[in-house]
Amino acid sequence: EKGRGQKFDVILASDIIYAMSVVGPMWETIDTLLTRDGIFLFAFARRQVAVTMVDVLEAGKLAGFVYEECEETDLSSDLFVYIFRKAN
């Protein structure tokens, strides 16, 4: 099938985490779809949900990713922007 096994250099996601139950599957998906040297750009707006950015960061580390916070993070509006890469 077309696209089967395809990997991407850049994956972009914003405002997709509303429950802790989707955090693990998200990292599994990113790990499957991201090339070895690719980046995952992730934006997270704090909402009235039971998941925090710390939860996402910790799960990312456990899944084998490293991250850096982008300058676009705006703590005054609870908006977090991170770049994730697969750890070497």
Side-chain angles (χ1 to χ4, degrees), residues 24-45:
M26 178 194 74
W27 286 115
E28 290 173 15
T29 301
I30 296 301
D31 189 46
T32 298
L33 295 177
L34 194 64
T35 61
R36 183 79 203 138
D37 296 322
I39 63 168
F40 171 43
L41 185 61
F42 179 76
F44 180 91

Side-chain angles (χ1 to χ4, degrees), residues 10-27:
V10 177
I11 298 174
L12 173 65
S14 177
D15 214 17
I16 62 169
I17 302 293
Y18 292 94
M20 198 62 200
S21 63
V22 301
V23 174
M26 178 194 74
W27 286 115

Side-chain angles (χ1 to χ4, degrees), residues 20 23 27 44 46 51-61 67 80 82:
M20 198 62 200
V23 174
W27 286 115
F44 180 91
R46 191 175 323 200
V51 182
T52 68
M53 192 62 222
V54 172
D55 295 327
V56 175
L57 296 175
E58 289 299 316
K61 287 193 292 188
Y67 63 87
F80 304 88
Y82 288 86

